[in-house]
Amino acid sequence: MATEDKNRATAAAILPLVGGAANVSSIAHCMTRLRLGLHDRTLVDDEALKAVPAVMGVVEDDTYQIVLGPGTVARVTPEFEQLVEEGRASAPETPGPVHTAEELADKGAALKAQQKTKNSTPFKLFLRKIANIFVPLIPALIGCGIIAGLNGLLVNLGWLTSVTPALAAMASGFMALIAVFVGYNTAKEFGGTPILGGAVAAIIVFPGVANIDAFGQTLSPGQGGVLGALGAAVLAVYVEKWCRRWVPEALDVLVTPTLTVLISGLVTIFGLMYVAGEVSSAIGTFADWLLSTGGAGAGFLLGGFFLPLVMLGLHQALIPIHTTLIEQQGFTVLLPILAMAGAGQVGAAAAVYLRLPRNESIRRTIRSAMPAGLLGVGEPLIYGVSLPLGRPFITACVGGAFGGGFVGLFNQLGDSVGSTAIGPSGWALFPLLDGNHGLGSTIAIYAGGLLVGYVAGFVATYFFGFGKALLTEFNVSQEPAPSTVAATGPAAASGGTPAKEPAGV
């Protein structure tokens, strides 16, 4: 089957299982997930969706998220959007006969209130906005990061000397102007005019700021970095909104953009650049200090608690920190440590596979999700295996802690291991690795951390991840004969425990 046909087939398989085109209110995607806004979530068939070959798992948050994996999601989403448009065009104007408008409105309101209570605290909504600013930049960070690694390798080997300057330009061009993209996305996310946010943020990287003195110091192009750009664009949004309220409509097209850039620009030059520069420097200094002094302990905590942070949505606060470190040092030392959380999940899943030899349902899930887990896509293993079982999720975190402690120890000994981009994890992070003692040493340390995470997650789960009750409940066949399904079947008659499908599997 051709790639386009395969992607369209996947989209066509998903659409009816989420209630059809009429039930889809919004469509977006991130690195691994198709994110859908749905009018009525009771129309979704979760189990059927999980059975679609390309679907690695589903996640319910403020949107309904279908895990398809990197690469696949970017190809399936346009096909899905086209099918939704075609479905809406051919559908009758009135809703289907199953639900009245009042019923749908009541269900939608109840689900919306429930989701807001669970996931839409002001702090989480703010973090989601911050993540939405930086997530669109990840493909460029990955591409430029890989080119930078390739260029470094060629320079060290002395190969293709006429090509390496061009590769350096490709790798560095985006990072030199990343503040502009952050400003553009920030204004867009906070409800302003994107190009005005980009225009104000561009001041930060303009070479001419080197002729300006602020707080008794000469400014440097890029001072304040992405944090300064974020702050400048947020300020521009508020200035613009104020102007829209008070400037007469006849003058709005001239006065509003002028005042927005002028006021925000002056505050950026004579305030934000200096303050954000100090904050950015402090972040870099703290990260270096944390790993050079805390080392194994800091890595243990970061690797162990990263998955709970992901479950709470608090990991999004790390995105601007990663970006700041990449901008300052060329790589972030935190990401390889946090990536060990995925290694713990892989090791825990392998242990679950061996501990539940009779549960073909869970073992089938593990077999299908393991390749993605090795490549750093952890959602299928988290939501399909460890989290529904409970204790194996905790032992998986223990595996991540030991892997993080291993990488942190080498940072403490002076071998920094970093990533030139954010987004990838697991084996997919190898092409983006960088450090201060050569690529070979960096790769060896990271690979060692993954191995430690795999082993620790496996051992912790195999020996401590299952109590007798959990084994009794789940180490049974999940595909009984039809005659044994009824409550009065042989299992009940013999006093045995009837088969039970684990939640989320």
Side-chain angles (χ1 to χ4, degrees):
M1 183 184 290
T3 302
E4 288 123 356
D5 293 340
K6 180 180 179 182
N7 294 329
R8 190 169 183 84
T10 299
I14 291 173
L15 183 56
L17 301 179
V18 295
N23 195 39
V24 179
S25 61
S26 65
I27 304 170
H29 74 88
C30 60
M31 288 290 292
T32 60
R33 305 179 187 182
L34 173 63
R35 298 171 180 258
L36 303 177
L38 300 175
H39 296 297
D40 185 358
R41 295 200 185 187
T42 63
L43 300 179
V44 177
D45 190 337
D46 293 312
E47 296 305 317
L49 270 173
K50 294 173 186 176
V52 175
V55 174
M56 299 177 178
V58 297
V59 180
E60 286 202 51
D61 197 1
D62 59 317
T63 56
Y64 190 82
Q65 302 171 15
I66 302 171
V67 184
L68 298 173
T72 301
V73 68
R75 292 169 173 80
V76 171
T77 300
E79 299 291 346
F80 188 84
E81 290 173 335
Q82 185 176 349
L83 289 175
V84 168
E85 289 300 320
E86 292 173 358
R88 288 171 179 169
S90 60
E93 295 184 2
T94 57
V98 178
H99 299 287
T100 65
E102 290 79 11
E103 288 174 336
L104 290 177
D106 290 342
K107 288 180 181 179
L111 286 168
K112 187 175 181 181
Q114 182 182 2
Q115 290 300 318
K116 280 188 175 181
T117 301
K118 288 171 56 180
N119 300 314
S120 297
T121 64
F123 183 59
K124 287 186 180 179
L125 288 174
F126 173 75
L127 291 181
R128 192 169 293 132
K129 282 183 176 289
I130 298 301
N132 290 341
I133 292 167
F134 289 92
V135 166
L137 306 180
I138 289 177
L141 285 168
I142 293 173
C144 294
I146 292 177
I147 292 173
L150 174 63
N151 185 63
L153 180 63
L154 292 175
V155 169
N156 290 335
L157 294 174
W159 294 354
L160 300 177
T161 54
S162 61
V163 177
T164 50
L167 293 177
M170 297 175 198
S172 303
F174 173 74
M175 290 306 302
L177 297 174
I178 190 172
V180 180
F181 296 101
V182 170
Y184 184 95
N185 287 347
T186 300
K188 181 179 179 180
E189 187 64 28
F190 281 84
T193 302
I195 198 65
L196 292 179
V200 174
I203 297 170
I204 292 174
V205 295
F206 177 60
V209 297
N211 300 321
I212 302 172
D213 291 335
F215 296 95
Q217 297 181 7
T218 301
L219 295 178
S220 301
Q223 185 173 338
V226 294
L227 297 182
L230 194 155
V234 170
L235 176 61
V237 170
Y238 282 101
V239 173
E240 180 187 359
K241 289 182 177 179
W242 182 88
C243 290
R244 301 289 184 199
R245 286 198 303 268
W246 296 102
V247 174
E249 290 185 10
L251 300 175
D252 181 71
V253 70
L254 296 175
V255 175
T256 296
T258 303
L259 288 180
T260 298
V261 175
L262 178 63
I263 296 173
S264 304
L266 288 173
V267 175
T268 298
I269 292 171
F270 293 104
L272 279 177
M273 285 185 67
Y274 175 81
V275 174
E278 293 299 306
V279 173
S280 297
S281 298
I283 289 174
T285 301
F286 177 75
D288 291 338
W289 172 84
L290 180 66
L291 294 179
S292 63
T293 57
F300 189 91
L301 293 175
L302 289 171
F305 283 101
F306 182 63
L307 284 181
L309 288 179
V310 172
M311 301 301 301
L312 296 172
L314 300 179
H315 67 295
Q316 295 168 340
L318 296 170
I319 295 176
I321 296 176
H322 287 312
T323 310
T324 298
L325 292 174
I326 292 171
E327 191 178 35
Q328 283 184 342
Q329 305 175 358
F331 53 81
T332 168
V333 293
L334 298 179
L335 186 58
I337 292 175
L338 300 176
M340 296 301 116
Q345 283 291 328
V346 169
V352 171
Y353 189 88
L354 294 181
R355 290 288 272 164
L356 301 180
R358 299 178 182 175
N359 193 317
E360 184 57 30
S361 174
I362 292 180
R363 287 164 66 90
R364 184 167 55 247
T365 298
I366 293 173
R367 286 196 299 270
S368 63
M370 188 64 80
L374 291 170
L375 292 173
V377 182
E379 289 96 334
L381 291 178
I382 295 173
Y383 294 104
V385 181
S386 65
L387 192 60
L389 292 174
R391 196 186 296 182
F393 178 78
I394 298 174
T395 54
C397 292
V398 171
F402 277 94
F406 180 88
V407 178
L409 174 62
F410 279 90
N411 274 274
Q412 187 174 5
L413 297 175
D415 284 306
S416 295
V417 177
S419 170
T420 57
I422 57 177
S425 184
W427 292 4
L429 196 62
F430 277 110
L432 296 167
L433 291 176
D434 197 2
N436 62 347
H437 280 88
L439 187 59
S441 173
T442 301
I443 290 176
I445 294 171
Y446 180 72
L450 288 178
L451 182 60
V452 170
Y454 296 153
V455 173
F458 179 88
V459 171
T461 304
Y462 192 90
F463 291 103
F464 306 106
F466 289 89
K468 290 184 178 179
L470 198 63
L471 279 174
T472 301
E473 182 178 5
F474 287 106
N475 191 26
V476 292
S477 174
Q478 299 297 299
E479 299 176 356
S483 61
T484 65
V485 174
T488 58
S494 62
T497 304
K500 180 178 179 181
E501 184 75 23
V505 177

